[in-house]
Amino acid sequence: NAGVTQTPKFRILKIGQSMTLQCTQDMNHNYMYWYRQDPGMGLKLIYYSVGAGITDKGEVPNGYNVSRSTTEDFPLRLELAAPSQTSVYFCASSHPGLMGYNEQFFGPGTRLTVL
Amino acid sequence: AQSVTQLDSQVPVFEEAPVELRCNYSSSVSVYLFWYVQYPNQGLQLLLKYLSGSTLVKGINGFEAEFNKSQTSFHLRKPSVHISDTAEYFCALTRVYGGATNKLIFGTGTLLAVQP
């Protein structure tokens, strides 16, 4: 049981390039999330999904796109990379539990630098 | 709207000393509260959670936290820290019965730096 895996671990992009951050979970969780972590800012939610084919925006969705064609995968797409997207990106997954509580399990992160 | 405040960005402490990491929250509705730990170059790991019941909750690695509704606080404590506790600690909340659309709201984090 690998949990939540993310690839790549590190990436450097030039301004205007595009890339896809991969996220896969093997826990059969319905819910998946993408966060970005900036120094001194905590984690901010970019997009989330409640199941295959269903996605919605979080707090900071501009400049990103997502898709969810399977339960396991939730890729995050950057179309035109900008320096403001330099950050550490975390994927998480969860499953509905008792009392509406759903613990989120996090991947190891992708460190992205845009130059 | 809900928010989480961690006033201390860094807490230096000597090994085997006690430590308290402070967390205050703001919410007009009932919330669940969490502490996550992030070791260097790793993802976030749940340390402990408060859902209901006893206000003193115990987590992994000897940490505990106390929920104080009147002071809207959820401070994290450990009686004796180790070098291996050096990490970033995040306090977070989520609304009760919020479901998947109920996002985790994080504080800005506190770096616990344990020195020998």
Side-chain angles (χ1 to χ4, degrees):
Chain A
N1 196 337
V4 180
T5 57
Q6 292 181 238
T7 56
K9 285 186 168 47
F10 305 94
R11 184 72 186 269
I12 300 174
L13 284 182
K14 294 182 180 178
I15 294 172
Q17 285 185 319
S18 62
M19 77 162 293
T20 299
L21 283 66
Q22 301 292 345
C23 175
T24 301
Q25 53 93 8
D26 62 359
M27 297 174 283
N28 202 31
H29 286 170
N30 286 341
Y31 304 159
M32 295 188 75
Y33 311 81
W34 273 106
Y35 293 88
R36 59 177 287 171
Q37 181 185 27
D38 300 316
M41 299 293 287
L43 278 76
K44 301 290 186 186
L45 183 65
I46 306 171
Y47 271 96
Y48 64 94
S49 168
V50 300
I54 308 170
T55 62
D56 206 348
K57 297 176 180 178
E59 298 175 79
V60 290
N62 292 343
Y64 307 95
N65 279 301
V66 293
S67 59
R68 183 98 181 268
S69 56
T70 66
T71 299
E72 295 77 21
D73 301 305
F74 189 41
L76 178 72
R77 179 89 178 153
L78 283 71
E79 290 293 349
L80 290 169
S84 61
Q85 293 178 304
T86 294
S87 188
V88 182
Y89 293 84
F90 289 101
C91 180
S93 72
S94 71
H95 198 73
L98 295 175
M99 300 169 64
Y101 158 63
N102 50 334
E103 177 180 345
Q104 294 185 22
F105 295 85
F106 286 80
T110 294
R111 188 175 298 274
L112 176 67
T113 302
V114 182
L115 300 174
Chain B
Q2 294 82 42
S3 66
V4 177
T5 302
Q6 293 179 250
L7 288 173
D8 304 308
S9 59
Q10 280 195 57
V11 173
V13 63
F14 288 107
E15 196 172 18
E16 297 183 6
V19 71
E20 179 179 81
L21 306 184
R22 297 181 293 168
C23 173
N24 288 88
Y25 70 93
S26 172
S27 177
S28 58
V29 298
S30 296
V31 295
Y32 298 136
L33 291 157
F34 309 87
W35 276 99
Y36 281 85
V37 59
Q38 182 181 27
Y39 297 105
N41 299 315
Q42 294 187 28
L44 278 73
Q45 178 183 357
L46 184 65
L47 201 57
L48 50 79
K49 60 183 181 283
Y50 172 77
L51 303 183
S52 66
S54 173
T55 57
L56 183 64
V57 292
K58 294 188 183 300
I60 60 173
N61 300 338
F63 283 93
E64 63 181 30
E66 185 157 19
F67 171 60
N68 188 319
K69 189 173 182 179
S70 61
Q71 297 190 4
T72 61
S73 67
F74 190 55
H75 301 333
L76 181 70
R77 293 190 283 263
K78 187 170 182 178
S80 175
V81 295
H82 301 286
I83 295 286
S84 59
D85 292 324
T86 294
E88 186 104 29
Y89 292 79
F90 291 94
C91 184
L93 66 76
T94 191
R95 278 184 11 239
V96 174
Y97 293 113
T101 58
N102 188 19
K103 61 191 180 208
L104 274 174
I105 297 171
F106 286 88
T108 52
T110 297
L111 176 62
L112 176 62
V114 182
Q115 304 165 48

